[in-house]
Amino acid sequence: MDVSCCLDPMTITLSRITVSAYRVPISSPVATSFGVMHNRPAVFVRIEDTDGAFGWGEIFANWPAAGAEHRARLVIEDFADLLLGQSFDSALDLFRKLTNKTHIRALQCGEWGSFRQVIAGLNTAMTDLKARRADLPVAQFLAQGAQTAVPCYASGIAITQAAAQIAHSRDAGFSAFKVKVGFDMTRDIALLSDLFETLAEGEAMFADANQAWGLSEAETFVAACRDLPLGWLEEPLPADASLNHWRALAEQSSIPLAGGENINDKGGFADAIASGVFSVLQPDIAKWGGFSGCWPVAQAIHEAGLRYCPHFLGGGIGLVASAHLLAAAGGDGLLEVDVNPNPLRDAFDLWRGQSDRSTLILSGAAGLGITTLPDEIAQYVTYSSELHL
């Protein structure tokens, strides 16, 4: 389905591209089972058409460690010639054309992820632009009657610091929490079991292994945790693990399995939906597809009777884009909100001063509701460039 619907049939000719990479130093590194983030990066991109209409997008930049500046330079040095002065009928048209025209470039260097992530951010920006032209919030642009608010859960919680982080998240209004596991099997299981003793009635907890284990280790974990009421276990196996391994684990696990942030094409999601393995699927709008890829995937997830919960762990633009996508999709999904400090997210004040973060109420403004970047993040710029006709 073309997210740029009949509300704005006008062809868009792009005249300006602006992109900036940011890095924020942090005092406490954010650890996953496969690596540690020693700062918080983000890449924000703005496109503008010949009439002055504009849109914002965010490009995934958490990995590799040097990824933010690389993605930003890709926009300028590998995509500008495919954007400036070029005309697009819709965000889907942009997605398809950029995917086709960069295929050989990505093949030549083997950087499929980088190119897909840039295209995702540009697609989000084009959807934002088109929704602004239609004077509609993106969620309403995607689906008439879309929700105006989405429920949230607290994410990015380190297992060794979980007791304190969950308490802090509870104070912020959250009642669902996701902890990172995949470090030390015995310790993680013990800590997870202890954490359930601290939960209040009605609270939920999930676990994310970040692709930490092979099948035998994952089997050990699910067997040891079979009596724990985990809401889901996320990426216990590598995203590219054999489907036979995923099915074997699913057959043994009383815990619902989740994944999807590292699936990066329509066929991959179709296979995941059809596999019968997953109870929860989690596309990341900044890693693949933007709105044009993730919106039909979200619909397909619901049609299959599965739960759609968008994955996101970055800056403010990607988070609000994820919220609009979830609001359009509906269902019982939750918005992932990283609770680790990140000025590149918090400066956007998406909760508009409210201390309760259990629900994100969309602003109702046209597009994503972002006009300019917050002044306070300018100090964190590591690369910035603009090109125009």
Side-chain angles (χ1 to χ4, degrees):
M1 179 180 294
D2 184 346
V3 299
S4 298
C5 62
C6 59
L7 294 171
D8 182 14
M10 183 179 293
T11 297
I12 298 296
T13 302
L14 296 181
S15 63
R16 188 180 300 270
I17 312 164
T18 308
V19 64
S20 298
Y22 301 81
R23 288 190 184 276
V24 179
I26 52 178
S27 56
S28 297
V30 179
T32 67
S33 60
F34 61 83
V36 179
M37 296 173 62
H38 295 281
N39 54 64
R40 300 308 301 266
V43 177
F44 301 135
V45 61
R46 181 184 186 274
I47 60 173
E48 184 177 322
D49 71 9
T50 50
D51 294 327
F54 65 91
W56 286 100
E58 180 169 349
I59 299 165
F60 175 84
N62 288 345
W63 305 99
E69 294 75 20
H70 173 56
R71 304 301 192 279
R73 290 189 63 175
L74 274 179
V75 173
I76 297 301
E77 299 177 32
D78 276 271
F79 281 84
D81 63 319
L82 306 176
L83 293 166
L84 289 177
Q86 303 300 309
S87 297
F88 304 95
D89 295 333
S90 65
L92 180 61
D93 185 37
L94 177 141
F95 176 77
R96 287 173 172 168
K97 285 179 177 176
L98 293 184
T99 299
N100 291 337
K101 291 181 178 180
T102 60
H103 177 80
I104 298 302
R105 299 184 190 190
L107 179 63
Q108 183 69 23
C109 61
E111 289 199 26
W112 299 106
S114 300
F115 279 83
R116 286 167 176 161
Q117 291 152 21
V118 170
I119 293 170
L122 291 167
N123 180 269
T124 294
M126 178 62 88
T127 307
D128 183 29
L129 186 156
K130 295 283 281 187
R132 287 175 194 276
R133 291 184 66 97
D135 196 29
L136 288 170
V138 166
Q140 299 292 328
F141 184 67
L142 297 178
Q144 187 175 4
Q147 297 173 357
T148 58
V150 293
C152 306
Y153 74 95
S155 179
I157 297 173
I159 187 69
T160 55
Q161 303 168 29
Q165 286 190 307
I166 287 175
H168 184 265
S169 299
R170 184 181 290 118
D171 290 343
F174 292 105
S175 60
F177 318 95
K178 187 168 75 180
V179 299
K180 289 187 174 293
V181 296
F183 303 97
D184 179 288
M185 179 75 70
T186 302
R187 183 200 65 187
D188 291 355
I189 292 169
L191 289 174
L192 199 58
S193 180
D194 290 343
L195 287 171
F196 272 102
E197 299 298 322
T198 71
L199 294 188
E201 184 177 354
E203 292 184 336
M205 189 157 59
F206 319 117
D208 185 358
N210 288 118
Q211 310 184 84
W213 303 312
L215 177 59
S216 62
E217 293 170 301
E219 289 173 333
T220 298
F221 183 88
V222 300
C225 296
R226 62 181 176 274
D227 294 327
L228 298 180
L230 272 172
W232 72 64
L233 174 60
E234 189 170 327
E235 291 196 319
L237 300 175
D240 63 353
S242 163
L243 183 55
N244 289 335
H245 283 191
W246 278 102
R247 284 179 173 148
L249 182 64
E251 289 172 359
Q252 299 175 55
S253 179
S254 61
I255 305 166
L257 300 184
E261 68 182 87
N262 291 304
I263 299 175
N264 53 28
D265 58 62
K266 184 177 180 181
F269 279 108
D271 291 344
I273 291 169
S275 70
V277 166
F278 298 98
S279 299
V280 183
L281 281 165
Q282 307 160 302
D284 189 316
I285 197 171
K287 294 187 80 171
W288 171 80
F291 283 102
S292 290
C294 291
W295 169 234
V297 165
Q299 293 174 298
I301 291 168
H302 282 313
E303 289 168 4
L306 305 177
R307 193 177 192 186
Y308 164 66
C309 294
H311 173 272
F312 189 72
L313 208 76
I317 294 177
L319 182 57
V320 75
S322 299
H324 277 267
L325 188 53
L326 180 58
D332 64 348
L334 302 172
L335 181 69
E336 181 170 21
V337 178
D338 173 24
V339 294
N340 294 289
N342 188 355
L344 300 176
R345 176 196 63 234
D346 298 337
F348 287 85
D349 191 24
L350 299 181
W351 279 265
R352 298 186 291 285
Q354 297 298 311
S355 58
D356 187 337
R357 303 213 165 179
S358 61
T359 301
L360 178 56
I361 301 172
L362 303 180
S363 71
L368 294 176
I370 296 169
T371 303
T372 59
L373 297 180
D375 291 339
E376 53 264 47
I377 71 172
Q379 61 184 305
Y380 304 117
V381 171
T382 58
Y383 173 90
S384 185
S385 186
E386 179 179 293
L387 293 175
H388 58 85
L389 293 178

